[in-house]
Amino acid sequence: MITVRDITAPTFTSVPGNTTVSCEAIPSVGTPVASDNCDVDVTITYNGETRTNGSCQNSYTLTRQWTATDNCNNTRTAVQTIAVQDLVVPVFTFSPPDVTVSCESLPAVGTPTATDNCSPTVTVTYLGETRENGACLDAYLLRRRWLAGDQCGNTTTTEQVITVRDLTPPVFSFIPDPLTVNCDAIPSVGTPIAVDNCDAAVSIVYDGETRMNGNCPNNYFLTRKWIATDNCGNTSSATQLVSVQDITLPIFTSVPLPTTANCDALPSVGTASATDNCTANVVIAYLGESTPGSGGACPGNYAIVRTWSAQDECGNSSTASQTITVQDITPPVVLSVPADAVVSCSNIPAVSSPTASDNCDATPNITYNGANRINGSYPNSYILKRQWTISDDCGNTTTAVQTLTVEDITAPVFTSVPAAITVSCEAIPAVGSPIATDDCAASVNISYNGDTRIDGLCPDSYILNRMWTAIDSCGNTTTAVQTITVQDITPPRLQFCSCAINRELRCYSSGWQSYGNRQLRCYRKYSVHR
């Protein structure tokens, strides 16, 4: 008898090999292969796995076991040992990107995120930042670093590189305002202010001014320029426009003073001077003179206005004037006057005219005022003062006087004198009445001066010279003589005169003697009583 028994356990011909894997790469449960000497269809059962923890949560050993059983329940086990380890560092799933920023725009510290192949939570730690200076104070690199660590101490780092640049120029926060100023009031250079996004103390340098000429030397534009520079050499400029203008008129510093002048003594044109706020040499022009209000009733009294203009280089001009009050206060000047003369009253010259000139009036008016008589000691001995008034057209007057000394030095002239006769001694004519005229006196006083006897050869033969004196009112005298030649050619006879009354007639001298209305001719001294 053959007893057949199956006491041999199956044999694993293939078992998943032992392995060391990362925690995220644990292989799936494998399928071992077993064979049996008798059973062609061995049953393999997976018995599961056991975990043996290691040094950290994600470092451990997994032991997987299978049992192979044949038909006779012979069994055999097989084991796969999987050494699980966490050797993989966490992986950053987000890290702040590298950036290039302006110095005033530094980003805040970011928050990276990381995952791990094994640890569900990864600890991310910010390690700070380091600075690498660049070419200028505000150009540098910032390196920010984070550390990600898993539960098994696997770590990794990430870095954000921030390139800090200062590309922004300073900004002027204050610039002197544009101005329009007069050329003598150009302001001093102002002080602008600038700020910068990075530099707290911006350097501002005055870059000078440029001039653009205008339409005249003192009208122009000044452009003042400043340059602001930050630490990194970024610059910006600012300008102030100063519009310079010359709108101020020149000022006269000296003008001939107002004056009063006679019409023939007008002052020569004076010299005015002026200054200007901008122009060194002011052009002064004499504009001439005007005579407002001239030609009135008194042409010699008027005003002359002399005017000057002062002009600067920009055409600003002002005027100044001098007023000359012209007056005619000088009387005419007598050039000639009919000469003073001593004249006879019968030869008084006719009135003639003096001549005169005036400093202002070309034809002064000459008016004869008549003559003033100053009586002398005799009616026809006097002084005639002939007077003329000479006036100009402004009423200034002067007088001219001619003095005629009138004398009566011409004796009267007898126009009729009793003629010389020869008579008998008894026929001596009565005293006649001569007539005389005078060149000045209308009536001449004729006085009989008596007669003078010139005895002849005998007592009754003689010559009688009767004489008259003609005297004018000035005492000029002339005489006239009548010569009576007396002769006695008649014999003598005694003749008595009859008288109304008895009286004694006496002869005191020879010749005719009057007694009342009678005449007695005496030849010698005797007396006749009757």
Short mmCIF file of all heavy atoms in Angstrom, two decimals, residues 3 14 41 68 116 134 145 147 150 158-159 186 191 226 257 301 325 389 391 399 415 420 434 472 516:
data_model
loop_
_atom_site.label_atom_id
_atom_site.label_comp_id
_atom_site.label_asym_id
_atom_site.label_seq_id
_atom_site.Cartn_x
_atom_site.Cartn_y
_atom_site.Cartn_z
N THR A 3 1.02 4.89 0.77
CA THR A 3 0.30 6.02 1.45
C THR A 3 0.91 7.30 0.93
O THR A 3 2.10 7.59 1.09
CB THR A 3 0.48 5.94 2.96
OG1 THR A 3 -0.02 4.65 3.41
CG2 THR A 3 -0.25 7.08 3.65
N SER A 14 8.33 33.70 -5.98
CA SER A 14 8.50 35.15 -6.25
C SER A 14 7.83 35.92 -5.13
O SER A 14 6.62 35.71 -4.88
CB SER A 14 7.87 35.56 -7.59
OG SER A 14 7.91 36.93 -7.72
N ASP A 41 -2.39 24.70 -7.65
CA ASP A 41 -3.07 26.01 -7.48
C ASP A 41 -2.95 26.42 -6.03
O ASP A 41 -3.84 26.10 -5.19
CB ASP A 41 -4.54 25.89 -7.90
CG ASP A 41 -5.24 27.23 -7.89
OD1 ASP A 41 -4.49 28.30 -7.85
OD2 ASP A 41 -6.47 27.31 -7.99
N ALA A 68 1.18 31.21 1.88
CA ALA A 68 0.84 30.32 0.74
C ALA A 68 0.33 28.99 1.33
O ALA A 68 1.01 28.37 2.16
CB ALA A 68 2.06 30.08 -0.14
N ASP A 116 5.07 69.18 1.06
CA ASP A 116 6.08 68.13 1.30
C ASP A 116 5.51 66.81 0.81
O ASP A 116 4.30 66.58 0.81
CB ASP A 116 6.41 68.05 2.78
CG ASP A 116 7.58 67.12 3.03
OD1 ASP A 116 8.71 67.47 2.59
OD2 ASP A 116 7.39 66.10 3.66
N GLY A 134 24.75 98.71 -4.37
CA GLY A 134 25.03 98.83 -5.79
C GLY A 134 25.90 100.06 -6.08
O GLY A 134 26.70 100.49 -5.25
N ARG A 145 15.02 85.52 2.29
CA ARG A 145 15.10 84.05 2.28
C ARG A 145 14.11 83.46 3.28
O ARG A 145 13.89 84.01 4.37
CB ARG A 145 16.52 83.58 2.64
CG ARG A 145 17.56 84.02 1.63
CD ARG A 145 18.94 83.52 2.01
NE ARG A 145 19.03 82.07 1.91
CZ ARG A 145 19.59 81.28 2.80
NH1 ARG A 145 20.10 81.79 3.91
NH2 ARG A 145 19.63 79.97 2.63
N LEU A 147 12.86 79.48 4.87
CA LEU A 147 13.23 78.07 5.07
C LEU A 147 11.96 77.26 5.27
O LEU A 147 11.12 77.60 6.11
CB LEU A 147 14.13 77.93 6.32
CG LEU A 147 14.50 76.50 6.73
CD1 LEU A 147 15.45 75.89 5.69
CD2 LEU A 147 15.12 76.49 8.12
N ASP A 150 10.15 69.96 6.82
CA ASP A 150 9.07 68.98 7.04
C ASP A 150 9.25 68.33 8.42
O ASP A 150 10.13 68.74 9.20
CB ASP A 150 9.03 67.95 5.92
CG ASP A 150 10.32 67.15 5.79
OD1 ASP A 150 11.13 67.16 6.77
OD2 ASP A 150 10.54 66.55 4.73
N THR A 158 14.14 79.13 -0.10
CA THR A 158 13.81 79.89 -1.31
C THR A 158 14.24 81.34 -1.09
O THR A 158 14.33 81.81 0.06
CB THR A 158 12.32 79.81 -1.64
OG1 THR A 158 12.10 80.41 -2.93
CG2 THR A 158 11.46 80.55 -0.62
N GLU A 159 14.51 81.98 -2.14
CA GLU A 159 15.02 83.34 -2.05
C GLU A 159 14.27 84.22 -3.05
O GLU A 159 14.00 83.84 -4.18
CB GLU A 159 16.51 83.36 -2.35
CG GLU A 159 17.15 84.73 -2.25
CD GLU A 159 18.63 84.67 -2.59
OE1 GLU A 159 18.98 84.53 -3.78
OE2 GLU A 159 19.44 84.76 -1.65
N ILE A 186 15.09 143.58 -10.70
CA ILE A 186 15.28 142.16 -10.94
C ILE A 186 15.56 141.48 -9.60
O ILE A 186 16.47 141.87 -8.87
CB ILE A 186 16.43 141.92 -11.92
CG1 ILE A 186 16.08 142.57 -13.28
CG2 ILE A 186 16.71 140.45 -12.09
CD1 ILE A 186 17.20 142.53 -14.28
N THR A 191 15.38 130.36 -4.00
CA THR A 191 15.81 129.06 -3.50
C THR A 191 14.67 128.06 -3.66
O THR A 191 13.72 128.05 -2.88
CB THR A 191 16.20 129.14 -2.02
OG1 THR A 191 17.22 130.14 -1.87
CG2 THR A 191 16.72 127.81 -1.52
N TRP A 226 17.60 125.60 -12.27
CA TRP A 226 18.16 124.83 -11.17
C TRP A 226 18.13 123.34 -11.54
O TRP A 226 17.22 122.89 -12.24
CB TRP A 226 17.36 125.01 -9.88
CG TRP A 226 17.42 126.41 -9.32
CD1 TRP A 226 18.27 126.87 -8.39
CD2 TRP A 226 16.56 127.51 -9.66
NE1 TRP A 226 18.01 128.19 -8.11
CE2 TRP A 226 16.98 128.61 -8.88
CE3 TRP A 226 15.50 127.66 -10.57
CZ2 TRP A 226 16.34 129.83 -8.95
CZ3 TRP A 226 14.88 128.89 -10.65
CH2 TRP A 226 15.31 129.97 -9.84
N LEU A 257 14.91 176.59 -15.09
CA LEU A 257 13.84 177.05 -14.20
C LEU A 257 12.92 178.03 -14.92
O LEU A 257 13.34 178.75 -15.84
CB LEU A 257 14.43 177.72 -12.97
CG LEU A 257 15.24 176.81 -12.03
CD1 LEU A 257 15.89 177.65 -10.94
CD2 LEU A 257 14.35 175.74 -11.44
N ASN A 301 3.78 190.98 -24.09
CA ASN A 301 3.57 190.19 -22.89
C ASN A 301 2.98 188.85 -23.30
O ASN A 301 1.84 188.79 -23.80
CB ASN A 301 2.61 190.90 -21.92
CG ASN A 301 3.27 192.06 -21.21
OD1 ASN A 301 4.47 192.27 -21.34
ND2 ASN A 301 2.50 192.81 -20.44
N THR A 325 8.03 183.66 -18.81
CA THR A 325 7.03 184.72 -18.84
C THR A 325 7.68 185.94 -19.45
O THR A 325 8.57 186.56 -18.84
CB THR A 325 6.51 185.02 -17.43
OG1 THR A 325 5.96 183.83 -16.88
CG2 THR A 325 5.45 186.09 -17.47
N THR A 389 4.65 212.00 -25.97
CA THR A 389 4.59 210.72 -25.27
C THR A 389 4.81 209.63 -26.30
O THR A 389 4.12 209.55 -27.32
CB THR A 389 3.25 210.51 -24.57
OG1 THR A 389 3.10 211.50 -23.56
CG2 THR A 389 3.18 209.12 -23.92
N SER A 391 4.81 205.65 -26.77
CA SER A 391 4.30 204.43 -26.11
C SER A 391 4.44 203.24 -27.04
O SER A 391 4.32 203.37 -28.26
CB SER A 391 2.83 204.60 -25.71
OG SER A 391 2.03 204.85 -26.86
N THR A 399 8.77 209.93 -22.34
CA THR A 399 8.46 211.25 -22.87
C THR A 399 9.70 211.86 -23.46
O THR A 399 10.84 211.57 -23.05
CB THR A 399 7.90 212.17 -21.77
OG1 THR A 399 8.85 212.24 -20.71
CG2 THR A 399 6.58 211.65 -21.25
N THR A 415 7.47 252.29 -37.56
CA THR A 415 6.95 252.26 -38.94
C THR A 415 6.52 253.66 -39.42
O THR A 415 6.38 253.89 -40.62
CB THR A 415 5.76 251.31 -39.01
OG1 THR A 415 4.75 251.74 -38.09
CG2 THR A 415 6.19 249.88 -38.66
N ALA A 420 11.38 264.76 -40.55
CA ALA A 420 12.27 265.91 -40.26
C ALA A 420 11.79 267.11 -41.10
O ALA A 420 11.49 266.96 -42.28
CB ALA A 420 13.71 265.55 -40.58
N PRO A 434 4.56 259.10 -33.37
CA PRO A 434 5.10 258.05 -34.24
C PRO A 434 4.37 256.71 -34.01
O PRO A 434 3.66 256.55 -33.02
CB PRO A 434 6.57 257.98 -33.84
CG PRO A 434 6.62 258.49 -32.46
CD PRO A 434 5.51 259.49 -32.30
N ASP A 472 9.02 247.39 -26.11
CA ASP A 472 8.06 246.29 -26.14
C ASP A 472 7.90 245.74 -24.73
O ASP A 472 8.49 246.24 -23.76
CB ASP A 472 8.47 245.22 -27.15
CG ASP A 472 9.82 244.59 -26.82
OD1 ASP A 472 10.27 244.70 -25.67
OD2 ASP A 472 10.41 243.94 -27.72
N GLY A 516 -0.57 275.03 -18.32
CA GLY A 516 -1.95 274.60 -18.56
C GLY A 516 -2.10 274.27 -20.00
O GLY A 516 -1.37 273.46 -20.56
#
